[in-house]
């Protein structure tokens, strides 16, 4: 059955979900791409592309030398995937100067409904037919692009290849550059004094391609990059241009983002929530979670071109900026081109689709079903979020579908078919830094809601984003101080709880404490004796779900079938229950992941002060370590004091380090001067021979 017109994004998502597992290895990088990359990190130019890079002194830009011959489509032409065919036709349309869209697609019959045909047509294809309206009803007249153009390219799947079987290259209208200045001004992407023109592409990317555009905010973005790099040589940026030297994608990461990745880059979320609103700037981030369970940014990008090749460029560029160390796990939205790029760039990284985005889309796709069955949504979400085992989830899911007669629902069937790709239960053996099933990492959507509207220019957007990042760094300092200067309330007399309180940050300890207290309500039974013994752990004797804990008596180590430790990095209630039963007084150090402890950043380099401190303190590692610890605590205290309305009260309440004597004659004025306070601290630590440069 043919599907007329452009497929809606929601319907394409179903197709993406069903085809995802099949298409990961079939999407190839297009061979005829016009994309190049420009990169700067520190004082060197970084090239992620295979093309030749050379500097241009006049504009301080980099121009890529392109040797590829622009290829025309022809009957019998073959592609590795439908996405590769679309990328090729997109580049072809850009060169000629016409917008295009997916006009038709066809799927095979059967359970999987595999995509077997796609037709790309000029956006002026077809004839606009005015819909009849009721008498007396006034409706604004819409302007249509359609002029009956016959230009198109149709590809059909043949085994593992996609072949051009129908082709029409003639257009019935003028081709060339099209201007969208008024369209963009109305949405705030350029100022009224600016002029911008672009080469047309498909309808979805037209608005986004002009987020910075040629002659518009693109120069402003480059100026921003140069300013940031002048302030810090560790600032990294790279841009991608097309064959017309138009900027298409840009990536950047400051020194703090790169430093944060070195500590917390084991699990990453690639945030593309801008797609929730088509008027939003195409701003994406790489983010994670720090040792206070706060979100941290590992890099940002403006992503205009969303082809597989562009995703590969972005991921390779980001990986280079992060020192070439890929994450253990990666969470993203679902997109075929993105998934294919991830499989190529991060072959050993566990890739998972975000369950929260899937549940959010389900509210739209099942709106009519939810309306007919008011309790369905709560039951489905409870099944997804609260299921503790795969068996329980699958039984519960099928039960719900039977209860509401939804076995034939295409959306729910597609979600269940790829459950191993988005449901955390199927990836519990991989670290994702998720402490609980309800944990949500703050997305950029919240930032958009607070700071962005359709009139926000790129310059203002970047300023607001930088201010938002400064607030996040302040919050981390406050959390550091809260951990260092306060003690949590213990709920038991167990030495295990005390050990955890002294090791973890306050926020992580609260999660551990929750597991520890819950372990007291579980029943533990030994089912196998010996050096390697086994226990069954359940909430009560009648519990339907029990977990198996394997305990090594000689090493004092244990593992649980729930795999909570592997997934979150803290011990589960089941293992803790066994530890209590065997009377283990201290948890082995290997169960305290450094990334969750108060010493997660113990080897941090504090920019200006760090180099000097290393030179003066290198003669004594003990003094050097003590100096670093004191310096970190001093900065944390200063941040709190500066934000406090009553500085005197704050000073009396805070103890930097009980084992270090600080000059009691230090005045309130010195507290307001961070440089003077740090100098005094280092003077006490390193002796009278030390003096600042």
């Amino acid at each position: 059955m043919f599907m007329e017109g452009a497929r809606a994004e929601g319907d394409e998502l179903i197709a993406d979900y069903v085809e995802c597992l099949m298409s990961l290895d079939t999407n190839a990088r297009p061979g005829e791409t016009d994309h190049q990359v420009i990169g700067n990190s520190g004082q060197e130019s970084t090239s992620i592309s295979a093309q030749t890079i050379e500097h241009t002194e006049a504009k301080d830009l980099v121009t890529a030398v392109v040797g590829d011959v622009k290829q025309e489509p022809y009957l019998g032409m073959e592609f590795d995937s439908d996405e590769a065919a679309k990328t090729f036709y997109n580049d072809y349309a850009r060169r000629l100067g016409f917008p295009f869209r997916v006009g038709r697609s066809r799927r095979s019959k059967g359970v999987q409904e595999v995509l077997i045909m796609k037709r790309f047509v000029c956006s002026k294809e077809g004839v606009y037919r005015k819909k009849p309206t009721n008498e007396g009803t006034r409706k604004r007249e819409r302007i249509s692009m359609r002029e009956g153009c016959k230009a198109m390219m149709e590809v059909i799947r043949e085994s593992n290849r996609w072949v051009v079987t129908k082709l029409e290259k003639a257009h019935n209208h003028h081709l060339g550059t099209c201007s969208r200045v008024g369209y963009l001004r109305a949405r705030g992407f350029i100022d009224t004094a600016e002029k911008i023109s672009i080469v047309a592409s498909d309808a979805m990317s037209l608005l986004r391609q002009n987020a910075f555009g040629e002659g518009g905010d693109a120069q402003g973005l480059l100026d921003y990059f140069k300013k940031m790099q002048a302030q810090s040589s560790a600032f990294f940026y790279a841009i991608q241009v097309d064959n017309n030297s138009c900027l298409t994608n840009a990536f950047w990461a400051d020194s703090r983002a790169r430093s944060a990745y070195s500590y917390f880059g084991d699990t990453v979320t690639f945030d593309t929530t801008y797609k929730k609103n088509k008027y939003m700037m195409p701003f994406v981030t790489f983010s994670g979670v720090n040792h206070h369970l706060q979100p941290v940014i590992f890099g940002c990008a403006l992503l205009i071109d969303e082809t597989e090749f562009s995703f590969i460029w972005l991921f390779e560029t980001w990986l280079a900026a992060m020192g070439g160390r890929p994450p253990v796990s990666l969470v993203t939205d679902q997109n075929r081109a993105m998934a294919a790029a991830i499989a190529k760039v991060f072959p050993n990284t566990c890739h998972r689709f975000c369950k929260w985005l899937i549940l959010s889309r389900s509210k739209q796709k099942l709106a009519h079903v939810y309306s007919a069955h008011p309790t369905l949504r709560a039951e489905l979400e409870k099944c997804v979020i609260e299921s503790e085992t795969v068996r329980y989830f699958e039984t519960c899911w099928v039960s719900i579908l039977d209860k509401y007669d939804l076995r034939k629902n295409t959306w729910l069937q597609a979600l269940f078919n790829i459950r191993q790709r988005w449901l955390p239960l199927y990836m519990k053996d991989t670290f994702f830094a998720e402490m609980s099933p309800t944990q949500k990492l703050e997305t950029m959507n919240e930032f958009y809601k607070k700071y962005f509207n359709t009139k926000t220019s790129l310059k203002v957007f970047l300023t607001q984003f930088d201010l938002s990042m400064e607030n996040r760094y302040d919050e981390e300092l406050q959390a550091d101080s809260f951990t260092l200067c306060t003690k949590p309330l213990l709920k038991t007399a167990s030495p295990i709880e005390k050990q955890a309180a002294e090791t973890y940050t306050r926020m992580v300890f609260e999660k551990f404490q929750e597991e520890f207290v819950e372990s007291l309500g579980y029943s533990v039974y030994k089912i196998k004796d010996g050096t390697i013994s086994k226990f069954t752990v359940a909430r009560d004797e009648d519990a339907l779900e029990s977990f198996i804990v394997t305990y090594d008596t000689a090493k004092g180590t244990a593992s649980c079938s729930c795999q909570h430790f592997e997934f979150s990095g803290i011990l589960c209630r089941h293992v803790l229950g066994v530890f209590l039963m065997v009377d283990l007084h201290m948890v082995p150090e290997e169960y305290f992941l450094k990334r969750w402890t108060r010493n997660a950043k113990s080897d941090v380099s504090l920019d200006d002060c760090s180099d000097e401190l290393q030179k003066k303190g290198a003669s004594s590692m003990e003094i050097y370590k003590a100096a670093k610890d004191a310096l970190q605590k001093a900065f944390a205290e200063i941040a709190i004091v500066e934000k406090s309305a009553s500085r005197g009260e704050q000073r009396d309440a805070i103890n930097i380090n009980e084992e270090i004597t600080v000059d009691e004659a230090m005045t309130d004025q010195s507290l307001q001067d961070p440089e003077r306070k740090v100098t005094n601290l280092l003077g006490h630590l390193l002796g009278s021979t030390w003096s600042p440069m």
Side-chain angles (χ1 to χ4, degrees), residues 259-260 263-264 291 476 480 594 597-605 632:
S259 176
Y263 303 115
F264 311 114
H291 54 327
E476 182 177 343
D480 284 339
K594 185 177 180 181
T597 69
R598 54 184 65 202
N599 296 320
K601 301 169 72 173
S602 59
D603 58 342
V604 67
S605 175
Q632 292 178 57

Side-chain angles (χ1 to χ4, degrees), residues 121-333:
V121 301
C122 174
S123 289
K124 295 182 181 292
E125 180 263 357
V127 179
Y128 174 69
R129 294 181 176 84
K130 185 177 179 180
K131 296 181 180 179
T133 57
N134 297 330
E135 294 184 5
T137 302
R138 298 186 61 184
K139 194 172 183 180
R140 186 176 62 179
E141 189 73 19
R142 293 183 59 188
I143 299 176
S144 174
M145 293 180 62
R146 304 200 175 187
E147 298 179 8
C149 183
K150 302 292 185 181
M152 63 88 183
M153 183 181 80
E154 182 175 298
V155 291
I156 289 181
R157 183 197 293 264
E158 293 184 2
S159 298
N160 293 326
R161 306 289 290 175
W162 287 76
V163 182
V164 177
T165 57
K166 293 182 181 180
L167 180 67
E168 176 58 62
K169 296 196 287 186
H171 294 259
N172 66 348
H173 53 88
H174 293 292
L175 304 178
T177 301
C178 67
S179 175
R180 292 289 178 128
V181 180
Y183 184 66
L184 295 168
R185 280 193 191 130
R187 286 154 182 80
F189 284 112
I190 56 174
D191 297 331
T192 54
E194 295 173 342
K195 293 183 179 180
I196 184 170
S197 64
I198 64 164
V199 178
S201 61
D202 61 86
M204 277 302 295
S205 66
L206 188 58
L207 173 62
R208 294 169 183 163
Q209 185 172 351
N210 287 272
F212 26 69
E214 181 182 8
D217 271 345
Q219 186 59 49
L221 183 65
L222 292 174
D223 292 341
Y224 169 79
F225 289 160
K226 293 174 186 176
K227 181 191 75 173
M228 296 298 291
Q229 199 167 81
Q231 295 174 0
S232 172
S233 60
F235 182 86
F236 181 104
Y237 76 88
I239 62 175
Q240 189 182 32
V241 297
D242 61 15
N243 63 310
N244 295 310
S245 296
C246 293
L247 194 154
T248 58
N249 299 314
F251 166 81
W252 67 98
D254 63 18
S255 60
R256 288 185 288 193
R258 300 173 74 184
S259 176
Y261 184 80
S262 67
Y263 303 115
F264 311 114
D266 38 20
T267 183
V268 174
T269 296
F270 183 55
D271 187 353
T272 56
T273 50
Y274 76 87
K275 291 185 177 182
K276 288 189 174 183
N277 190 320
K278 65 180 179 180
Y279 298 114
M280 291 301 185
M281 200 168 292
F283 182 74
V284 300
T285 60
F286 296 87
S287 61
V289 60
N290 68 9
H291 54 327
H292 299 297
L293 302 182
Q294 298 169 327
V296 288
I297 297 296
F298 301 139
C300 315
L302 285 169
L303 188 64
I304 307 304
D305 186 37
E306 297 183 6
T307 61
E308 178 188 333
F309 183 72
S310 284
F311 279 120
I312 288 176
W313 172 85
L314 176 60
F315 294 148
E316 288 181 342
T317 303
W318 173 76
L319 192 59
M322 299 300 116
R325 179 172 64 90
V328 173
S329 58
L330 179 63
V331 179
T332 72
D333 194 2

Side-chain angles (χ1 to χ4, degrees), residues 194 296 403 431 475 528 546-547 571 578 645 651 666 669:
E194 295 173 342
V296 288
K403 177 180 177 180
F431 182 72
E475 290 171 358
K528 180 183 178 182
S546 61
F547 300 88
L571 286 172
V578 170
R651 182 190 173 191
M666 194 179 293
Q669 182 178 0

Side-chain angles (χ1 to χ4, degrees), residues 476-530:
E476 182 177 343
L477 283 175
Q478 293 178 38
D480 284 339
S481 182
F482 184 62
T483 293
L484 293 169
C485 304
T486 63
K487 293 183 178 180
L489 178 65
L490 302 183
K491 296 183 178 180
T492 71
S494 170
I496 290 180
E497 186 185 14
K498 182 181 179 182
Q499 178 190 16
E502 294 173 348
T503 305
Y504 288 130
T505 61
R506 284 295 299 272
M507 288 300 296
V508 175
F509 171 71
E510 289 179 6
K511 298 296 183 181
F512 176 89
Q513 189 179 53
E514 180 182 338
E515 291 294 320
F516 187 76
V517 173
E518 284 292 325
S519 72
L520 302 176
Y522 277 70
S523 300
V524 180
Y525 302 96
K526 181 179 286 189
I527 58 176
K528 180 183 178 182
D529 210 344

